[in-house]
């Protein structure tokens, strides 16, 4: 899923000349804490509810405030994983979407991105999860895929995280389209891969659902 498919057209942009009271009213109505600001189709940044409340002057124009999130943008053809990275790196609620000529098309909210992730095949498809710990220099997804596929299975998604305790190690999380992971685990162990966690379908399904429910409740979706 690409960025343009996730644009939330219910979130309108403000203009620099709009009064702060208009921004406050829209944010209250939409139940969000940020809104995009544009001028002549050009994205200028985000205005936050916190900045307006701290200044305590609703007569000021939006353009008089310090805007944030100027760099929190994606091209319309970028994958929603890129949106997730920007949200994580910058702590914003909204990410602006631009076309190839850098004209503002709209924004994606963190709620929209979480929905897209929750609806992706990697989450919805049945299967199991294996987490491996390995040295960065030993990481080869093609080799790992070969071992998984030798057991008649496929990798649905993979996520690489740095090990916070050892800069030389990574943690590789694999979502696999098999509910019984025993043969795959045996293959990994035979090739000296260190398995630090596994979640097979029966034990994982209720846990995943509970986590998603908690996340959606937190985001008030």
């Amino acid at each position: 899923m690409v960025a343009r498919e996730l644009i939330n057209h219910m979130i309108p942009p403000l203009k620099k000349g709009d009064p702060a009271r208009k921004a406050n009213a829209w944010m209250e109505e939409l139940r969000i804490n940020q809104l995009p600001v544009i001028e002549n189709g050009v994205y200028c940044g985000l205005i936050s509810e916190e900045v307006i409340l701290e200044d305590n002057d609703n007569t000021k124009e939006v353009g008089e405030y310090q805007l944030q999130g100027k760099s929190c943008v994606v091209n319309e053809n970028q994958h929603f994983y890129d949106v997730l990275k920007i949200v994580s790196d910058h702590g914003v609620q909204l990410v602006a979407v631009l076309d190839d000529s850098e004209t503002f098309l709209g924004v994606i909210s963190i709620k929209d991105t979480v929905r897209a992730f929750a609806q992706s095949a990697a989450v919805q498809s049945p299967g199991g999860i294996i987490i491996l710990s390995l040295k960065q220099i030993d990481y080869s997804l093609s080799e790992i895929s070969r071992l998984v596929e030798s057991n008649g299975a496929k990798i649905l998604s993979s996520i690489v995280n740095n090990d916070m305790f050892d800069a030389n190690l990574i943690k590789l999380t694999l979502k696999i389209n098999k509910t019984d992971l025993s043969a795959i685990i045996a293959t990994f162990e035979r090739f000296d891969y260190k398995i630090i966690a596994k979640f097979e379908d029966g034990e994982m399904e209720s846990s995943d659902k509970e986590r998603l429910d908690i996340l959606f409740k937190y985001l008030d979706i």
Side-chain angles (χ1 to χ4, degrees):
M1 189 173 293
V2 296
R4 66 174 174 271
E5 298 173 326
L6 296 174
I7 293 174
N8 190 328
H9 296 286
M10 298 299 292
I11 301 177
L14 292 161
K15 295 179 181 178
K16 283 188 173 182
D18 287 333
R21 61 177 175 272
K22 180 179 181 179
N24 269 336
W26 282 10
M27 282 188 269
E28 183 177 349
E29 181 180 347
L30 295 168
R31 300 178 67 184
I32 56 178
N33 297 323
Q34 295 173 330
L35 280 173
V37 180
I38 66 171
E39 197 68 25
N40 299 320
V42 177
Y43 173 68
C44 303
L46 300 171
I47 181 75
S48 72
E49 182 182 45
E50 181 181 5
V51 168
I52 296 174
L53 293 177
E54 283 181 357
D55 190 77
N56 197 28
D57 184 359
N58 277 342
T59 64
K60 290 178 66 172
E61 294 183 352
V62 168
E64 297 181 63
Y65 292 93
Q66 182 176 358
L67 303 180
Q68 57 184 182
K70 174 66 175 176
S71 62
C72 297
V73 299
V74 292
N75 180 271
E76 61 178 318
N77 295 310
Q78 285 183 251
H79 195 270
F80 77 84
Y81 281 175
D82 295 321
V83 180
L84 283 173
K85 186 178 188 307
I86 290 175
V87 169
S88 174
D89 289 347
H90 297 276
V92 291
Q93 291 187 356
L94 304 175
V95 175
V97 181
L98 312 181
D99 65 14
D100 291 336
S101 62
E102 299 197 348
T103 300
F104 176 83
L105 300 178
V107 291
I108 302 169
S109 74
I110 184 174
K111 295 179 183 180
D112 301 322
T113 312
V114 171
R115 278 199 193 97
F117 179 73
Q119 293 167 1
S120 67
V123 174
Q124 295 292 335
S125 300
I129 290 176
I130 295 176
I131 304 177
L132 304 174
S133 175
L134 64 160
K135 293 180 180 179
Q136 293 197 35
I137 60 172
D138 294 335
Y139 172 60
S140 170
L141 187 58
S142 60
E143 173 64 15
I144 291 168
S145 297
R146 186 185 68 79
L147 296 178
V148 171
E149 291 172 7
S150 70
N151 289 280
K154 291 188 179 296
I155 296 174
L156 297 175
S157 70
S158 64
I159 300 173
V160 178
N161 297 109
N162 292 325
D163 191 315
M164 66 178 65
F165 301 110
D166 189 334
N168 296 314
L169 297 178
I170 60 170
K171 292 180 180 179
L172 176 63
T173 302
L174 303 172
K175 175 70 180 284
I176 296 170
N177 69 335
K178 287 278 189 179
T179 56
D180 182 359
L181 301 175
S182 55
I184 299 170
I185 290 171
T187 299
F188 279 138
E189 290 176 340
R190 190 164 66 251
F191 283 85
D192 295 324
Y193 282 93
K194 182 180 179 182
I195 297 169
I196 57 177
K198 67 177 181 67
F199 304 92
E200 295 180 282
D201 195 56
E203 58 186 290
M204 184 184 61
E205 188 174 339
S206 60
S207 175
D208 277 357
K209 184 178 185 304
E210 181 181 355
R211 289 170 185 166
L212 283 173
D213 287 345
I214 291 171
L215 180 58
F216 286 142
K217 183 177 181 181
Y218 170 74
L219 293 173
D220 195 24
I221 293 178

